[in-house]
Amino acid sequence: MDQPAPLIDPFQRAIRYLRVSVTDRCDFRCVYCMSETMTFLPRAELLTLEELDRLATAFIGLGVEKLRITGGEPLVRRDILTFFRAMTRHLDSGALKELTLTTNGSQLEKYAGELAAAGVRRVNVSLDTLNERKFTKITRRGRLDQVLRGLDAAQAAGLRVKINVVALKGVNDDELFPLVDFAAAHDMDLTFIEVMPMGDIGNEDRLDQYWSLKDLRAQLAERFTLTDLAERSGGPARYVRVEETGQKIGFITPLSHNFCESCNRVRVTCTGEIYTCLGQEGHSDLRAPLRASTDDAVLTEAIRAAIRLKPKGHDFDYSRQRVDGQISRHMSHTGG
Ligand code: SAM
Ligand code: SF4
């Protein structure tokens, strides 16, 4: 049978990377991500594990090579390991090059071994502070020791760990070097993320939280020699090597436009909405086509139609002390 045509958007970008949010629920309530009181979706709204499998399989058939599972907290979705294990067949066939996840680490102690057995090789763990009191303040629920045990379990299972730190002014700006040292001591990669204006987060003020990565990098350069690396991921991350430690550190500045031209990714929410740009409201529905027919032709055509609408770039803007381009949905909706 002929290979179907790959997914190419109107700006000639080939879509190779799919992020799927498998739940909007989470055991944490991070201050930049959720409000204290969140209303979560009724379970019937969510794609079932079988539907998630069909969807991911359809994308892989259309040329997606990298699949990242996210949420909410993906590891709090019931039986989610069944889905990971189902994806192993695409790794085995070679169609899928990488299966990975972004997690808050709370359940890693429990699942790291099974994830590794399913073919996961790398995991991104969000960890904004090494201070127990601050950790509880940021996550409103979490326990640092549980996450640290999760990191140990991930490494013991052979998973490569990358720590994601959201840069928060007045919160973790005094922990830049402790975090860098921690990552170096444990041989973990490290990426800093600029906080983004997404969703109603209650009383927290976005501009108060905003710590520019330009400032963060300048602070880092006071102590270390940083060499820019050419390496790009098709996403908003830029990397430097710290010459003194050999570490690779990433900076994700989604508010800049310097990556949109190479953007190779799309996101699907746990209800089957496809967002072709993190920074735009526009989306299409894949759940109805999924449920309309067991024949994947309907789904495939809906995916192609959505990709034809992928915008050229996004509209975030923190300039002039206003949070323009504010996106009404929460990050936990699209999964970051
Ligand atoms: N629960 C998992 C976790 O925390 O890693 C996966 C989902 S979480 C929404 C994905 C990533 O988005 C995390 O690294 C989190 O820190 C980041 N994030 C959430 N809200 C954000 C915001 N407003 N600005 C920047 N990053 C954000
Ligand atoms: Fe949960 Fe992740 Fe959002 Fe924190 S960032 S509330 S862990 S989904």
Coordinates of all heavy atoms in Angstrom, one line a residue, residues 32-83:
Y32 N 1.0 29.2 38.7 CA 1.0 29.8 37.4 C 0.2 29.0 36.4 O 0.0 29.4 35.2 CB 2.5 29.9 36.8 CG 3.3 28.6 37.0 CD1 3.0 27.5 36.2 CD2 4.2 28.5 38.0 CE1 3.7 26.3 36.5 CE2 4.9 27.4 38.2 CZ 4.6 26.2 37.5 OH 5.3 25.1 37.7
C33 N -0.3 27.9 36.8 CA -1.0 27.0 35.9 C -2.5 26.9 36.2 O -3.3 26.9 35.3 CB -0.4 25.6 36.0 SG -1.1 24.3 34.9
M34 N -2.9 26.8 37.4 CA -4.3 26.6 37.8 C -4.7 27.5 38.9 O -3.9 28.0 39.6 CB -4.5 25.1 38.3 CG -4.3 24.1 37.3 SD -4.8 22.5 37.9 CE -4.4 21.4 36.5
S35 N -6.0 27.7 39.0 CA -6.5 28.4 40.2 C -6.7 27.4 41.3 O -6.7 26.2 41.0 CB -7.8 29.2 39.9 OG -8.8 28.2 39.6
E36 N -6.9 27.9 42.5 CA -7.0 27.0 43.6 C -8.2 26.1 43.4 O -8.2 24.9 43.7 CB -7.2 27.8 44.9 CG -7.5 27.1 46.1 CD -6.3 26.4 46.8 OE1 -5.4 27.1 47.1 OE2 -6.4 25.2 46.9
T37 N -9.3 26.7 42.9 CA -10.5 25.9 42.7 C -10.7 25.7 41.2 O -11.1 26.6 40.5 CB -11.7 26.7 43.3 OG1 -11.6 28.0 42.7 CG2 -11.7 26.7 44.8
M38 N -10.5 24.5 40.8 CA -10.6 24.2 39.4 C -11.8 23.3 39.2 O -12.1 22.4 40.0 CB -9.4 23.5 38.8 CG -8.1 24.3 38.8 SD -8.1 25.5 37.4 CE -8.0 24.5 36.0
T39 N -12.6 23.6 38.1 CA -13.6 22.6 37.8 C -13.1 21.7 36.7 O -12.7 22.2 35.6 CB -14.9 23.4 37.3 OG1 -15.1 24.4 38.2 CG2 -16.1 22.4 37.1
F40 N -13.0 20.5 36.9 CA -12.5 19.6 35.9 C -13.6 19.0 35.1 O -14.8 19.1 35.4 CB -11.7 18.5 36.6 CG -10.4 19.0 37.2 CD1 -10.3 19.0 38.6 CD2 -9.4 19.5 36.5 CE1 -9.2 19.5 39.2 CE2 -8.2 20.0 37.1 CZ -8.1 20.0 38.5
L41 N -13.2 18.5 33.9 CA -14.2 18.0 32.9 C -14.9 16.7 33.5 O -14.2 15.9 34.1 CB -13.5 17.7 31.6 CG -12.9 18.8 30.9 CD1 -11.9 18.4 29.8 CD2 -14.1 19.6 30.2
P42 N -16.1 16.5 33.1 CA -16.7 15.2 33.4 C -16.0 14.1 32.6 O -15.6 14.4 31.5 CB -18.2 15.4 32.9 CG -18.3 16.7 32.4 CD -17.0 17.4 32.4
R43 N -15.9 13.0 33.2 CA -15.1 11.9 32.6 C -15.6 11.6 31.2 O -14.8 11.2 30.3 CB -15.0 10.7 33.4 CG -14.0 10.8 34.5 CD -14.0 9.6 35.4 NE -13.7 10.0 36.8 CZ -12.5 10.3 37.3 NH1 -11.5 10.3 36.5 NH2 -12.4 10.7 38.6
A44 N -16.9 11.7 30.9 CA -17.4 11.3 29.6 C -16.9 12.2 28.5 O -16.9 11.8 27.3 CB -18.9 11.3 29.7
E45 N -16.4 13.4 28.9 CA -15.9 14.3 27.8 C -14.6 13.8 27.3 O -14.1 14.2 26.2 CB -15.7 15.7 28.5 CG -17.0 16.4 28.9 CD -17.6 17.1 27.8 OE1 -16.9 17.9 27.1 OE2 -18.8 16.9 27.5
L46 N -13.8 13.1 28.1 CA -12.5 12.7 27.8 C -12.4 11.6 26.7 O -13.3 10.7 26.7 CB -11.7 12.1 29.0 CG -11.6 12.9 30.3 CD1 -10.5 12.3 31.2 CD2 -11.2 14.4 29.9
L47 N -11.4 11.6 25.9 CA -11.2 10.5 25.0 C -10.9 9.3 25.8 O -10.1 9.4 26.8 CB -10.0 10.8 24.0 CG -10.2 12.0 23.1 CD1 -9.0 12.1 22.2 CD2 -11.5 12.0 22.3
T48 N -11.4 8.2 25.4 CA -11.1 6.9 26.1 C -9.6 6.5 25.7 O -9.1 7.1 24.8 CB -12.0 5.8 25.7 OG1 -11.8 5.5 24.3 CG2 -13.5 6.1 26.0
L49 N -9.1 5.6 26.5 CA -7.7 5.1 26.1 C -7.7 4.5 24.7 O -6.7 4.7 24.0 CB -7.3 4.1 27.2 CG -7.0 4.6 28.6 CD1 -6.6 3.5 29.5 CD2 -6.1 5.8 28.6
E50 N -8.8 3.9 24.3 CA -8.8 3.3 23.0 C -8.8 4.4 21.9 O -8.2 4.3 20.9 CB -10.1 2.4 22.8 CG -10.1 1.1 23.6 CD -10.4 1.4 25.1 OE1 -10.9 2.4 25.5 OE2 -10.0 0.5 26.0
E51 N -9.6 5.5 22.2 CA -9.7 6.6 21.3 C -8.3 7.3 21.2 O -7.9 7.7 20.1 CB -10.7 7.6 21.7 CG -12.1 7.1 21.4 CD -13.3 7.9 22.1 OE1 -13.0 8.6 23.1 OE2 -14.4 7.8 21.6
L52 N -7.6 7.4 22.4 CA -6.3 8.0 22.3 C -5.3 7.2 21.5 O -4.5 7.7 20.7 CB -5.7 8.1 23.8 CG -6.4 9.2 24.7 CD1 -5.9 9.0 26.1 CD2 -6.0 10.6 24.2
D53 N -5.5 5.9 21.6 CA -4.6 5.0 20.8 C -4.9 5.2 19.3 O -4.0 5.4 18.5 CB -4.9 3.5 21.2 CG -4.0 2.5 20.5 OD1 -3.5 2.8 19.4 OD2 -3.8 1.5 21.0
R54 N -6.2 5.2 18.9 CA -6.5 5.4 17.5 C -6.0 6.7 17.0 O -5.5 6.8 15.9 CB -8.1 5.4 17.3 CG -8.7 4.1 16.9 CD -10.1 4.3 16.6 NE -10.5 4.9 15.4 CZ -11.6 5.5 15.1 NH1 -12.6 5.5 16.0 NH2 -11.8 6.1 13.9
L55 N -6.2 7.8 17.8 CA -5.7 9.1 17.4 C -4.2 9.2 17.2 O -3.7 9.6 16.2 CB -6.1 10.1 18.5 CG -5.9 11.5 18.2 CD1 -7.1 12.1 17.5 CD2 -5.7 12.3 19.5
A56 N -3.5 8.7 18.2 CA -2.0 8.7 18.1 C -1.5 7.9 16.9 O -0.7 8.3 16.2 CB -1.4 8.2 19.4
T57 N -2.2 6.7 16.7 CA -1.8 5.8 15.6 C -2.1 6.5 14.3 O -1.3 6.4 13.4 CB -2.6 4.5 15.8 OG1 -2.3 3.9 17.0 CG2 -2.3 3.5 14.7
A58 N -3.2 7.3 14.2 CA -3.5 8.0 12.9 C -2.4 9.0 12.7 O -1.9 9.1 11.5 CB -4.8 8.6 13.0
F59 N -2.0 9.8 13.7 CA -0.9 10.8 13.5 C 0.4 10.1 13.1 O 1.1 10.6 12.2 CB -0.7 11.6 14.8 CG -1.6 12.8 14.8 CD1 -2.8 12.7 15.6 CD2 -1.3 14.0 14.2 CE1 -3.6 13.9 15.7 CE2 -2.1 15.1 14.3 CZ -3.3 15.0 15.0
I60 N 0.7 9.0 13.7 CA 2.0 8.3 13.4 C 1.9 7.8 12.0 O 2.9 7.9 11.3 CB 2.2 7.1 14.4 CG1 2.5 7.7 15.8 CG2 3.4 6.2 14.0 CD1 2.3 6.7 17.0
G61 N 0.8 7.3 11.5 CA 0.6 6.9 10.1 C 0.8 8.0 9.2 O 1.1 7.8 8.0
L62 N 0.6 9.3 9.7 CA 0.8 10.5 8.8 C 2.2 11.1 9.0 O 2.4 12.3 8.6 CB -0.3 11.5 9.1 CG -1.7 11.0 8.7 CD1 -2.8 12.0 9.3 CD2 -1.9 10.9 7.2
G63 N 3.1 10.4 9.7 CA 4.5 10.9 9.7 C 4.9 11.5 11.0 O 6.1 11.9 11.2
V64 N 4.0 11.5 12.1 CA 4.5 11.9 13.4 C 5.5 10.9 13.9 O 5.2 9.7 14.0 CB 3.3 12.1 14.3 CG1 3.7 12.1 15.8 CG2 2.6 13.5 14.0
E65 N 6.7 11.4 14.4 CA 7.7 10.5 14.8 C 8.0 10.7 16.3 O 8.7 9.9 16.9 CB 9.1 10.9 14.1 CG 9.0 10.6 12.6 CD 10.2 11.0 11.9 OE1 10.9 11.9 12.4 OE2 10.5 10.5 10.8
K66 N 7.5 11.7 16.9 CA 7.7 12.0 18.3 C 6.4 12.2 19.0 O 5.6 13.1 18.6 CB 8.7 13.2 18.5 CG 9.0 13.5 19.9 CD 10.2 14.5 20.0 CE 10.3 14.9 21.4 NZ 11.4 15.9 21.6
L67 N 6.2 11.5 20.1 CA 4.9 11.6 20.8 C 5.2 11.9 22.3 O 5.9 11.2 22.9 CB 4.2 10.3 20.7 CG 2.8 10.1 21.4 CD1 1.8 11.2 20.9 CD2 2.3 8.7 21.2
R68 N 4.7 13.0 22.7 CA 4.9 13.4 24.1 C 3.5 13.4 24.8 O 2.5 14.0 24.4 CB 5.5 14.8 24.2 CG 5.6 15.3 25.7 CD 6.4 16.6 25.9 NE 7.8 16.5 25.5 CZ 8.7 15.9 26.2 NH1 8.4 15.5 27.5 NH2 10.0 15.9 25.8
I69 N 3.4 12.7 25.9 CA 2.2 12.6 26.7 C 2.3 13.6 27.9 O 3.3 13.7 28.6 CB 2.0 11.2 27.2 CG1 2.1 10.2 26.1 CG2 0.7 11.0 28.0 CD1 1.2 10.4 24.9
T70 N 1.2 14.4 28.0 CA 1.2 15.4 29.0 C -0.2 15.5 29.6 O -1.0 14.6 29.5 CB 1.8 16.7 28.4 OG1 1.7 17.8 29.3 CG2 1.1 17.1 27.1
G71 N -0.5 16.6 30.3 CA -1.8 16.8 30.9 C -2.0 18.3 31.3 O -1.3 19.1 30.7
G72 N -2.7 18.5 32.3 CA -2.8 17.9 33.6 C -1.6 17.0 34.0 O -0.6 17.1 33.4
E73 N -1.8 16.2 34.9 CA -0.7 15.3 35.3 C -1.1 13.9 34.6 O -2.0 13.2 35.0 CB -0.6 15.2 36.8 CG 0.3 14.1 37.3 CD 1.7 14.1 36.5 OE1 2.2 15.2 36.3 OE2 2.2 13.1 36.2
P74 N -0.3 13.5 33.6 CA -0.6 12.3 32.8 C -0.7 11.1 33.7 O -1.5 10.2 33.5 CB 0.5 12.2 31.8 CG 1.6 13.2 32.2 CD 0.9 14.2 33.0
L75 N 0.2 11.0 34.7 CA 0.3 9.8 35.5 C -0.8 9.6 36.5 O -0.9 8.6 37.3 CB 1.7 9.7 36.1 CG 2.8 9.5 35.1 CD1 4.2 9.4 35.9 CD2 2.6 8.4 34.2
V76 N -1.7 10.6 36.6 CA -2.9 10.4 37.5 C -4.1 9.9 36.7 O -5.1 9.5 37.3 CB -3.3 11.7 38.3 CG1 -2.2 12.2 39.2 CG2 -3.9 12.8 37.4
R77 N -4.0 9.8 35.4 CA -5.1 9.2 34.6 C -5.1 7.7 34.8 O -4.0 7.0 34.7 CB -4.9 9.5 33.1 CG -5.8 8.7 32.2 CD -6.9 9.5 31.6 NE -7.8 8.6 31.0 CZ -8.4 8.8 29.8 NH1 -8.1 9.9 29.1 NH2 -9.3 7.9 29.3
R78 N -6.2 7.2 35.2 CA -6.3 5.8 35.5 C -5.9 4.9 34.3 O -6.3 5.2 33.2 CB -7.8 5.4 35.9 CG -7.9 4.1 36.5 CD -8.9 4.1 37.7 NE -10.3 4.3 37.2 CZ -11.1 3.4 37.1 NH1 -10.8 2.1 37.3 NH2 -12.4 3.6 36.6
D79 N -5.1 3.9 34.6 CA -4.7 2.9 33.6 C -3.8 3.5 32.4 O -3.8 3.0 31.4 CB -5.9 2.2 32.9 CG -6.5 1.2 33.9 OD1 -5.8 0.8 34.8 OD2 -7.7 0.9 33.7
I80 N -3.2 4.7 32.7 CA -2.5 5.3 31.6 C -1.4 4.5 31.1 O -0.9 4.5 29.9 CB -2.1 6.7 32.0 CG1 -1.6 7.5 30.7 CG2 -0.9 6.7 33.0 CD1 -2.7 7.7 29.7
L81 N -0.9 3.6 32.0 CA 0.2 2.7 31.5 C -0.2 1.8 30.4 O 0.6 1.4 29.5 CB 0.8 1.9 32.7 CG 2.1 2.5 33.3 CD1 3.2 2.5 32.3 CD2 1.9 4.0 33.8
T82 N -1.5 1.5 30.3 CA -2.0 0.7 29.3 C -1.8 1.4 27.9 O -1.4 0.8 26.9 CB -3.6 0.4 29.4 OG1 -3.8 -0.1 30.8 CG2 -4.2 -0.5 28.4
F83 N -2.0 2.7 27.9 CA -1.8 3.5 26.7 C -0.3 3.5 26.3 O 0.0 3.2 25.2 CB -2.3 4.9 26.9 CG -2.0 5.8 25.7 CD1 -2.7 5.7 24.6 CD2 -0.9 6.7 25.8 CE1 -2.4 6.5 23.5 CE2 -0.6 7.5 24.8 CZ -1.3 7.4 23.6

